Each structure stands twice: as C-alpha cells, then as structure tokens.
Amino acid sequence: KNTLDGEDLPLLVYSHGYGGNMDMTTYFFRTMASKGIIVAAVEHTDGTASSTILPDGSERKFNEYLMTGRQQLTRRASELLEAVDFLPKELERI
C-alpha cells in the first residue's frame, strides 16, 4: 500500500510510447494527481524516448537502432518493475 499522511493512495507508473517522453502527458498526470493518485513517469533508457537523461548525467536522444525490439521490451519491462518496487519504499520515507 502507498500511504501519504496515513491515507492509502493508488500508484500509477507511466510508460511513454515509442519516441515519446514523460513531458507529453503532464496534463494527464496533473489530472490523476488531483484525484489522489500518485503518478510516476519512467523515462526509458532503451532509445525509445525522444530524449532522456542517463544516471551519469549524459543525454540520450531517440535512437531506434540502439537495441533490438526484444531488448527494448526487456529493458522497458525491467525499468517499470524497478519503479514499482522502488517507489512504495520511497513513499514510506516521506
């Protein structure tokens, strides 16, 4: 359960589309947050984001040839699962 001030809140982990990024749907995120949903947007590092910042601070631009389709799906699924595991623990610290 995700709680904030003792209240259970749902968690939405968003995965951008091919060539997209988390900024493309901020209107949707705001609407969901206003309904009491915790929203987390993952910027994928598999080359499918229009642009993303990597952990080392460098920028990765869209590159459809960075990985095979199978590798992209595996990386995206891994990043989503990591977010789902990480975020509730982080919320407990708040």
Side-chain angles (χ1 to χ4, degrees), residues 2-94:
N2 305 302
T3 60
L4 190 60
D5 295 331
E7 182 180 351
D8 290 339
L9 299 171
L11 172 63
L12 168 67
V13 178
Y14 175 82
S15 172
H16 64 75
Y18 191 77
N21 64 43
M22 66 182 178
D23 296 329
M24 297 174 72
T25 52
T26 53
Y27 66 92
F28 173 69
F29 300 152
R30 286 187 191 129
T31 299
M32 294 297 99
S34 74
K35 308 285 184 199
I37 298 170
I38 298 169
V39 179
V42 175
E43 288 265 321
H44 294 293
T45 61
D46 63 349
T48 62
S50 56
S51 176
T52 192
I53 303 300
L54 299 173
D56 67 3
S58 63
E59 180 182 20
R60 175 170 288 156
K61 299 250 184 217
F62 177 78
N63 180 351
E64 64 186 306
Y65 304 110
L66 183 65
M67 297 180 176
T68 67
R70 168 96 100 202
Q71 290 171 325
Q72 287 173 339
L73 289 174
T74 300
R75 171 75 62 87
R76 290 169 71 96
S78 174
E79 289 168 341
L80 289 169
L81 290 171
E82 183 180 328
V84 168
D85 183 54
F86 173 80
L87 290 167
K89 294 172 189 169
E90 272 302 294
L91 290 171
E92 287 177 5
R93 292 179 21 169
I94 295 176

